[in-house]
Amino acid sequence: KPGEQKQLKEPSSLQCMHLAVVACGDRLEETLIMLKSAVLFSSRRLCFHIFAEDSLKPEFEKKLKEWPSSYTKKFESNIYPITFSVGNAQEWKKLFKPCAAQRLFLPVILKDVDSLLYVDTDVLFLRPIEDIWHLLREFNSSQLAAMAPEHEIPKIGWYSRFARHPYYGSTGLNSGVMLMNLTRIRSTQFKNSLIPGGLSWEEMLYPLYQKYKNYITWGDQDLLNIIFYFNPECLYVFPCQWNYRPDHCMYGSNCRGAEEEGVSILHGNRGVYHDDKQPTFKALYEVIRDFPFEDNLFQSLYYPLQSRFLDTVHTLCGRIPQVFLKQIEKTMKKVYENRVIVYLGANHRY
């Protein structure tokens, strides 16, 4: 109408919480279960950025379309080829696990994305993504990424005992869950061991790899440790419950945050979803995998988990089931309460 000010709609890309993952080889199912855990518990819209080998793209598209519309309307997905903007592509592709180095190039490829959560394929969300997304607000003016420590106890840490290159802090960082402000990463000049002045993220990657390639064991994670060793002011360190791995319980419980609040994000590295070494982790993976999307969360997910955990008490991780169940129970109660409120609001007028 004349005289009315037109409301500008926020672009959908800004409304999304952006989630990136890199999948090569046999990681199709694992990636789909991770994405499933993301949509099960989150109420905000998600934008998936899936980097995959060409052979996997049709299968990703097919499987995601098979999900019920009540869930597919909660996300949009983009599938990208594996690409490396600098250096030798074959070298990057073979660095540590297949294609894992792709994560280093996300700021360069996703130029229109401001902030992003990157996770490995073997991650499971046990609470809404928006809860870790809110940590972006806690960044100070110099921080541009967030990761958890590789270990809580230096004397049993891998980096503190074996690393032959610089690494962050006293125990190093694990890059399986990485929250990034891509805008800041693209605009920052990083201190480094290559030249006296600063280098941009893209300029730094390949020369840094060339300098340290004979000393790194864990590929791209080691390069990230080197980068934040020289730029510690750029990193926000989040606690271990946001990247909870077998190391946090297989030698005895050593993640205090998980003991107090429960596991927020489960990271099943060491292949524990697919062998019998850590049955607690495997049980969580299989129950989420087998959960029928539109079933009752308590009946078809929470109660089966409780039952499966009874068979894991012979392991150190299995002796602390409340650590794994606390956030799931809290999240399910919240989902249930929201549905009841919506139902009452639609059917009652006060």
Side-chain angles (χ1 to χ4, degrees):
K1 293 179 181 178
E4 264 190 15
Q5 189 172 1
K6 187 177 180 181
Q7 291 287 327
L8 292 175
K9 191 175 181 182
E10 187 183 30
S12 61
S13 62
L14 296 180
Q15 296 171 338
C16 271
M17 294 181 295
H18 295 270
L19 177 66
V21 65
V22 180
C24 287
D26 59 357
R27 298 302 179 106
L28 175 74
E29 183 195 72
E30 222 174 55
T31 306
L32 288 167
I33 306 309
M34 180 276 290
L35 298 174
K36 182 179 182 179
S37 73
V39 299
L40 278 179
F41 299 130
S42 292
S43 56
R44 281 187 55 188
R45 185 164 180 78
L46 297 164
C47 286
F48 296 150
H49 301 276
I50 303 166
F51 291 81
E53 291 172 308
D54 293 341
S55 59
L56 295 179
K57 181 179 178 181
E59 200 65 19
F60 270 116
E61 292 173 339
K62 177 189 171 189
K63 294 291 185 183
L64 291 173
K65 285 177 182 175
E66 290 173 356
W67 290 4
S69 60
S70 57
Y71 286 93
T72 56
K73 69 183 181 183
K74 293 172 65 175
F75 68 88
E76 58 186 72
S77 59
N78 299 285
I79 303 175
Y80 309 83
I82 302 296
T83 54
F84 304 100
S85 61
V86 294
N88 184 306
Q90 288 307 310
E91 273 188 288
W92 284 121
K93 193 168 183 179
K94 293 175 183 176
L95 182 64
F96 191 45
K97 292 181 181 177
C99 308
Q102 182 71 75
R103 86 183 81 183
L104 297 172
F105 294 86
L106 297 178
V108 180
I109 298 168
L110 301 175
K111 294 184 184 296
D112 297 326
V113 176
D114 174 66
S115 295
L116 176 86
L117 176 64
Y118 165 86
V119 295
D120 285 348
T121 61
D122 52 9
V123 155
L124 292 171
F125 293 94
L126 305 187
R127 66 190 286 184
I129 289 185
E130 41 265 45
D131 293 346
I132 190 171
W133 194 257
H134 290 159
L135 295 181
L136 286 164
R137 301 174 185 172
E138 298 187 17
F139 283 18
N140 65 27
S141 58
S142 67
Q143 289 167 339
L144 46 75
M147 285 181 276
E150 172 70 14
H151 286 279
E152 299 301 300
I153 305 170
K155 67 180 181 181
I156 64 170
W158 191 92
Y159 283 103
S160 50
R161 290 184 296 161
F162 304 118
R164 296 186 295 152
H165 58 78
Y167 58 89
Y168 180 90
S170 60
T171 60
L173 300 164
N174 185 281
S175 60
V177 180
M178 185 175 179
L179 193 61
M180 294 181 276
N181 184 317
L182 300 184
T183 301
R184 288 187 179 181
I185 290 175
R186 286 187 287 262
S187 62
T188 297
Q189 292 289 303
F190 291 87
K191 298 188 290 292
N192 59 84
S193 59
L194 303 166
I195 62 169
L199 288 170
S200 73
W201 185 266
E202 188 176 17
E203 290 171 336
M204 177 175 54
L205 290 178
Y206 194 61
L208 203 65
Y209 165 67
Q210 286 295 315
K211 179 171 182 177
Y212 291 104
K213 66 180 181 180
N214 294 325
Y215 304 98
I216 60 178
T217 302
W218 308 113
D220 48 300
Q221 177 173 290
D222 289 348
L223 290 177
L224 289 166
N225 267 282
I226 294 166
I227 290 169
F228 289 107
Y229 169 84
F230 290 105
N231 300 271
E233 72 284 356
C234 294
L235 188 77
Y236 176 98
V237 180
F238 51 65
C240 47
Q241 64 264 32
W242 293 105
N243 187 350
Y244 190 90
R245 284 158 279 125
D247 303 74
H248 291 120
C249 57
M250 62 191 286
Y251 309 114
S253 183
N254 61 44
C255 176
R256 183 173 296 177
E259 292 170 6
E260 294 171 355
E261 298 181 19
V263 175
S264 296
I265 295 179
L266 191 77
H267 185 182
N269 64 339
R270 303 174 180 265
V272 293
Y273 296 150
H274 312 293
D275 61 30
D276 297 316
K277 293 179 181 176
Q278 296 299 332
T280 313
F281 283 74
K282 187 177 183 180
L284 269 156
Y285 178 80
E286 291 183 347
V287 168
I288 292 175
R289 179 195 67 193
D290 298 339
F291 172 72
F293 268 105
E294 294 180 309
D295 272 21
N296 180 283
L297 283 168
F298 274 105
Q299 289 180 348
S300 300
L301 199 151
Y302 186 73
Y303 296 142
L305 266 179
Q306 285 185 315
S307 178
R308 288 284 299 270
F309 281 177
L310 292 174
D311 298 326
T312 72
V313 294
H314 62 285
T315 67
L316 286 172
C317 294
R319 292 176 189 174
I320 49 172
Q322 70 282 359
V323 165
F324 298 92
L325 291 169
K326 192 176 290 188
Q327 278 298 334
I328 296 179
E329 183 178 16
K330 185 177 176 182
T331 299
M332 288 182 181
K333 284 180 177 177
K334 189 174 180 181
V335 169
Y336 177 75
E337 287 167 2
N338 287 343
R339 286 178 181 171
V340 169
I341 291 168
V342 168
Y343 176 79
L344 288 173
N347 291 278
H348 294 270
R349 297 290 180 266
Y350 297 99

